[in-house]
């Protein structure tokens, strides 16, 4: 959709919603739910009336994430290299509307594309859609005998594999997700699909099928598909277990995932000021039959991420650590995260084998400062990476500074 068309559509939609709200409020036999107007507004709640059968809630969501990094290391030839980067990591706005008792529509757009870390350009405006889906909550229409909740969702939505993917970017406690998390989420973690979600007591189940289509909006089903499953078990108030998996079908793993299949087991523990997560994953990159023609990038891969944290000052200052290890059967079966070592390969200023190797270890230590309650925070961190490649060993230290705010 062209940007001009999108803006015209957005303006028309805004006028339509405003008209619907006025009409719906006039039909409501009950007064609007009472609450703290300014507190609701600060959280993006523009309208809320659970007794209105037409439109019961209108919310807006936004996030702005900025970060900078300084890198110093030794490349696969043993030569030293260094560099610095800055980028607007995310700038996103969206809306969520609940209507007709059981329906929800959610649309979010990314308003920045900052590729300066890859020696590209910074552009502002509507770049693509973070999400665009319609959800039906069956449990709001009927009393379910065997389930607490039952939802059907269709459209562009996030595929969550591994604990870090289950957390919003607003909630991440490290500046970047681990390389393993980026790997198992797939080359594009937002795809068009159909998702069934069900809850019963301490269990949450999600099953879905997603298209490989890389469209920026809701995609077609002409490029193959993959199957997704996730099970969450809340063992207690402190312990949570997550099992996720993807099986790829269609025209090959490079269409959307970069692998043939993956499975992930995550354990989360939280109690008062302390917590930790542990994620264990394994998968298969595929082979020549699945269009992975480079033998060095085929075969199985394995990995684990351990992330402990504690609050030094409750709700204000958080200490975070992370240790990650991943390994593969083939010499280039794993890869670093895109930020910020691979850009040296793209720029030709250091030999990093495009971030590919067969064994990778990283360690992260950081502090998160929350100046006030909410999701806004300043993050500082230091990460060490060691990657074994066919051409030699790559090691580097990256220092991060980031600011996150959202509503």
């Amino acid at each position: 959709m062209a940007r001009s068309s999108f803006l015209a559509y957005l303006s028309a939609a805004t006028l339509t919603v405003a008209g619907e709200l006025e009409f719906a409020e006039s039909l409501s036999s009950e007064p609007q739910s009472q609450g703290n107007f300014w507190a609701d507004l600060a959280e993006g709640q523009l309208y809320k009336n659970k007794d209105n059968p037409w439109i019961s809630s209108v919310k807006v969501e936004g996030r702005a994430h900025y970060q900078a990094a300084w890198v110093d290391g030794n490349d696969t030839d043993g030569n030293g290299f260094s560099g610095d980067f800055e980028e607007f990591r995310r700038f996103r706005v969206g809306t969520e509307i609940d209507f007709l008792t059981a329906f929800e529509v959610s649309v979010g757009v990314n308003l920045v594309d900052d590729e300066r870390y890859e020696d590209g350009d910074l552009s502002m405006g509507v770049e693509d859609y973070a999400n665009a889906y319609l959800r039906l909550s069956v449990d709001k229409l009927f009393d379910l005998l065997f389930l607490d909740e039952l939802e059907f969702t269709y459209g562009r939505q996030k595929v969550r594999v591994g604990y870090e993917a289950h957390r919003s970017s607003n909630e991440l406690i490290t500046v970047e997700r681990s390389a393993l998390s980026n790997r198992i989420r797939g080359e594009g973690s937002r795809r068009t699909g159909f998702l069934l979600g069900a809850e019963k007591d301490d269990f949450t189940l999600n099953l879905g099928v997603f298209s490989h289509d890389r469209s920026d909006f809701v995609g077609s089903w002409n490029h193959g598909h993959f199957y997704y499953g996730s099970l969450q078990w809340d063992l207690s108030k402190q312990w949570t277990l997550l099992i996720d998996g993807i099986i790829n079908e269609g025209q090959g793993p490079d269409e959307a995932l970069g692998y043939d299949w993956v499975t992930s087991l995550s354990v989360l523990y939280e109690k008062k000021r302390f917590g930790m997560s542990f994620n264990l994953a394994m998968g298969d990159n595929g082979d020549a039959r699945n269009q992975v023609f480079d033998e060095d990038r085929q075969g199985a891969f394995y990995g684990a991420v351990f992330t402990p944290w504690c609050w030094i000052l409750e709700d204000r200052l958080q200490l975070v650590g992370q240790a990650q290890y991943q390994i593969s059967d083939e010499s280039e079966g794993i890869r670093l995260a895109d930020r910020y070592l691979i850009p040296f390969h793209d720029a030709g200023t250091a030999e990093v084998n495009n971030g590919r190797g067969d064994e990778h270890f990283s360690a992260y230590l950081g502090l998160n400062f929350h100046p006030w309650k909410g999701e806004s925070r300043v993050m500082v961190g230091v990460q060490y990476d060691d990657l074994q490649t066919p051409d030699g060993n790559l090691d580097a230290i990256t220092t991060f500074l980031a600011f996150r705010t959202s509503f």
Side-chain angles (χ1 to χ4, degrees), residues 160-163 166 228-231 242-246 262-266:
R160 305 173 189 272
V161 182
Y163 170 69
H166 280 265
Y228 165 75
S230 176
L231 176 65
L242 274 169
I243 302 175
D244 308 307
I246 284 179
V262 73
T263 184
S264 167
L265 172 66
S266 302

Side-chain angles (χ1 to χ4, degrees), residues 369-381:
F369 173 61
H370 296 245
W372 52 82
K373 290 189 69 174
E375 299 299 336
S376 298
R377 60 193 181 278
V378 177
M379 309 173 72
V380 295

Side-chain angles (χ1 to χ4, degrees), residues 209-230:
V209 56
F210 289 84
S211 168
H212 283 179
D213 191 349
R214 293 177 178 271
S215 299
D216 291 337
F217 190 52
V218 177
S220 72
W221 291 87
N222 301 324
H223 302 275
H225 57 274
F226 60 90
Y227 301 103
Y228 165 75
S230 176

Side-chain angles (χ1 to χ4, degrees), residues 44-255:
Q45 187 75 61
L46 299 184
Y47 174 85
K48 186 176 182 180
N49 185 354
K50 64 181 181 179
D51 298 321
N52 190 326
W54 298 93
I55 297 180
S56 56
S57 174
V58 178
K59 294 183 67 175
V60 293
E61 182 266 349
R63 67 190 70 185
H65 298 174
Y66 166 86
Q67 64 194 49
W70 296 263
V71 179
D72 186 78
N74 298 288
D75 67 11
T76 58
D77 291 336
N79 299 320
F81 67 95
S82 62
D84 57 84
F85 306 86
E86 67 167 335
E87 64 172 317
F88 290 97
R89 184 66 173 87
R90 300 172 186 90
F91 184 27
R92 185 180 303 165
V93 296
T95 183
E96 180 182 296
I97 301 174
D98 297 338
F99 64 100
L100 298 179
T101 305
F103 289 89
E104 172 192 323
V105 62
S106 178
V107 178
V109 292
N110 292 311
L111 298 177
V112 65
D113 184 17
D114 193 347
E115 297 182 353
R116 290 176 295 169
Y117 77 99
E118 295 179 311
D119 203 27
D121 298 321
L122 167 65
S123 61
M124 304 290 290
V126 178
E127 300 298 332
D128 58 22
Y129 287 78
N131 58 278
Y133 61 77
L134 177 68
R135 175 173 294 156
L136 167 63
S137 298
V138 179
D139 54 280
K140 293 182 180 179
L141 296 175
F142 308 102
D143 291 329
L144 304 178
L145 296 178
F146 303 106
L147 295 172
D148 298 326
E149 293 185 11
L150 179 63
E151 297 178 338
F152 298 96
T153 306
Y154 181 79
R156 182 178 176 88
Q157 52 193 302
K158 187 176 180 180
V159 182
R160 305 173 189 272
V161 182
Y163 170 69
E164 291 173 271
H166 280 265
R167 302 195 74 156
S168 162
S169 60
N170 291 326
E171 302 170 334
L172 290 177
I173 58 175
T174 55
V175 174
E176 287 290 325
R177 290 184 174 93
S178 66
L180 180 66
S181 175
N182 284 326
R183 182 80 174 99
I184 63 179
R185 289 193 311 147
E187 295 184 351
S189 63
R190 297 179 186 273
R191 288 288 180 266
T192 295
F194 176 84
L195 188 69
L196 179 152
E199 289 189 19
K200 176 63 177 177
D201 298 330
D202 300 323
F203 294 89
T204 302
L205 175 68
N206 284 284
L207 298 173
V209 56
F210 289 84
S211 168
H212 283 179
D213 191 349
R214 293 177 178 271
S215 299
D216 291 337
F217 190 52
V218 177
S220 72
W221 291 87
N222 301 324
H223 302 275
H225 57 274
F226 60 90
Y227 301 103
Y228 165 75
S230 176
L231 176 65
Q232 177 176 320
W233 180 15
D234 298 321
L235 289 85
S236 67
K237 292 182 178 180
Q238 292 79 37
W239 290 95
T240 300
L241 181 70
L242 274 169
I243 302 175
D244 308 307
I246 284 179
I247 298 177
N248 193 15
E249 295 285 346
Q251 299 179 9
D254 284 338
E255 288 295 311

